[in-house]
Amino acid sequence: MDVEKKDRAVCLMFALMLAGGLLLCIFMPKDKYSDSERRMLTPMPGLSAGNVWSGRFMSGFEDYAADAFPFRDAFRRIKAVTAFKLFSRMDNNGIYEADGFLSSVEYPMNEADLERAAERFRHICDKYLTEKNKVYLSVIPDKNCFMAAASGHLAMDYDAFEGRMKELADFAEYIPISDLLDRDDYYRTDTHWRQEKIGDVAGRLAQAMGTHLSQNYEVHRLDHDFYGVYHGQSALMLPADELKYLTDESIRNCQVYDWQNKREIPVYDFEKGEGRDPYEMFLSGSLSLLTMENPCAQTDKELVIFRDSFGSCIGPLLLEGYLQITLVDIRYIHPDYLGQFIDFDNCDVLFLYSTLVLNHSDTLK
C-alpha cells in the first residue's frame, strides 16, 4: 500500500510540474529580444490553414517554444557549464573559452569569399579612383589567430589568408599589422580589439600612408561594465571587461557627421556605452557613412576608409594625420551610391577589414 501511495505521489508531483510549466509558458511575459544573445527572438507563428498544412506552423512553433521557454537563460547556463565542465566539450554552439578568453570558431578559410571581397574592392577602385589616388589594404586578424591553435581548436592558416588577400587585391599596397597584435589586444568577452592597445597599429598605418601621429593620447575608462557579445552567447559567467577610450586634441575637437541619419554625432557616444552593446560607443556603432572633420589639422590630406566594426575604434586614432576622414561600411550602403556623398579626388583610400568579414564577404554589398 505504501508503495502505491508513493507512486501516486510521484505521478501527482510530475503532473503538477508539467501543469506549472505549461502555465508559465502560456502566461509569462514574452521577450522580443534577447539581451544576452543580442538577437531577436522567434515570434509566435501565425495560425492559418496554409501554415498548418504546409508544416510551417509546427516548424516555426518549435523555434518559438525554444525561445519562449521559461527561465531560458538559466537553462542555457546549465547546458554550457555541463558541456564544458562535465563532458569536456571543446566548444558550445561554436563558442569556446581558453584562459578566460572567449571566441567563436572560425574555420575554414573560404577562398571564394576572399575573391568576392577583392572583386567588390576592385569595383570601387574602377568606379571612383584614378592614378592620383593612393590605395592601401590591411587585414585585421580575428582573435582566433592568437587563440585557436594554442588551445587545440581548428585554426585557419592566417599567413596564407593574408597572402591570398594581398595577391587578390594587387591594386592596393598591403600594410601588415598582425605582428603588432596578440590575444591581449582583444576584449576577453568580445570580438573586437581594445582601443588603448592599438596605438602602434594606428601609427604603422599612418606612417605607411605618408602621415604622422604624435600619439599623445589620454586614456579614459568607461564607468560601466562591458560584457561583450561572446559573454551572452556562451552563457558562461565570466568577469566583465573594462572599456577604455583615448582622446587627444584632434579627437576632442572632431566634428562627426552621420550621413545615414543626417545628424552630427560625437566621437564617443556615452549613452550607447551604457546600452546593450557598449562597444557601439565608438562612433555610434554600425553606421553606413560617416565624415570626421579635424579643425586642428596641420595638413590638407584626406582619407577614405572602407571598414567594418573594427574601424569604429581605430578611425579616431588616425584623425591627427588628416583634415578629413570618411568611413564607409559597404555592408550597409551599396558602393554605387557613394559618388553622391564622397569626392574621391586626391583622397587616399584604405580598405581595412577583419578576417571575420573577409571570410564571409556575402555581407558586403
Side-chain angles (χ1 to χ4, degrees), residues 87-99:
F87 297 111
S88 300
R89 289 277 301 273
M90 292 292 288
D91 65 85
N92 181 40
N93 298 326
I95 307 293
Y96 68 92
E97 183 269 336
D99 298 327

Side-chain angles (χ1 to χ4, degrees), residues 244-259:
K244 297 180 180 179
Y245 60 97
L246 306 180
T247 61
D248 61 12
E249 184 182 12
S250 297
I251 293 173
R252 284 191 295 271
N253 291 284
C254 176
Q255 300 166 349
V256 187
Y257 190 75
D258 167 15
W259 291 93

Side-chain angles (χ1 to χ4, degrees), residues 189-222:
T189 65
D190 197 65
T191 313
H192 297 101
W193 52 13
R194 296 160 56 185
Q195 191 187 48
E196 75 276 14
K197 292 284 191 176
I198 57 172
D200 53 351
V201 175
R204 177 176 290 180
L205 291 173
Q207 183 178 23
M209 293 187 294
T211 191
H212 173 74
L213 305 177
S214 62
Q215 297 189 306
N216 295 320
Y217 304 121
E218 300 171 9
V219 182
H220 306 270
R221 181 184 181 276
L222 186 70

Side-chain angles (χ1 to χ4, degrees), residues 1 61 95 203 210 222 236 238 280:
M1 191 65 179
F61 184 79
I95 307 293
L222 186 70
L236 295 174
L238 294 180
E280 289 189 343

Side-chain angles (χ1 to χ4, degrees), residues 119-236:
E119 182 276 325
R120 298 313 298 150
F121 301 161
R122 187 182 298 275
H123 171 72
I124 292 167
C125 292
D126 290 344
K127 187 174 181 64
Y128 296 112
L129 307 185
T130 69
E131 294 180 354
K132 296 180 180 179
N133 299 105
K134 295 181 180 178
V135 184
Y136 304 92
L137 168 72
S138 191
V139 174
I140 304 169
D142 66 89
K143 194 161 47 173
N144 287 292
C145 180
F146 313 103
M147 287 181 58
S151 59
H153 292 83
L154 292 171
M156 295 190 297
D157 184 336
Y158 282 87
D159 289 337
F161 190 109
E162 286 191 47
R164 183 56 177 153
M165 199 64 214
K166 178 181 177 181
E167 178 183 320
L168 290 167
D170 56 2
F171 48 84
E173 178 184 335
Y174 189 71
I175 308 175
I177 58 173
S178 296
D179 60 304
L180 300 177
L181 296 164
D182 59 36
R183 184 194 64 179
D184 293 335
D185 294 328
Y186 298 75
Y187 296 108
R188 289 180 297 100
T189 65
D190 197 65
T191 313
H192 297 101
W193 52 13
R194 296 160 56 185
Q195 191 187 48
E196 75 276 14
K197 292 284 191 176
I198 57 172
D200 53 351
V201 175
R204 177 176 290 180
L205 291 173
Q207 183 178 23
M209 293 187 294
T211 191
H212 173 74
L213 305 177
S214 62
Q215 297 189 306
N216 295 320
Y217 304 121
E218 300 171 9
V219 182
H220 306 270
R221 181 184 181 276
L222 186 70
D223 190 21
H224 183 75
D225 287 338
F226 173 36
Y227 292 98
V229 64
Y230 293 141
H231 184 272
Q233 291 177 355
S234 71
L236 295 174

Side-chain angles (χ1 to χ4, degrees), residues 27 44 74 93 103 127 139 154 167 199 237 313 322 339 355 357:
F27 294 109
M44 178 72 172
N93 298 326
S103 191
K127 187 174 181 64
V139 174
L154 292 171
E167 178 183 320
M237 297 297 291
C313 152
Y322 294 92
T355 51
V357 169

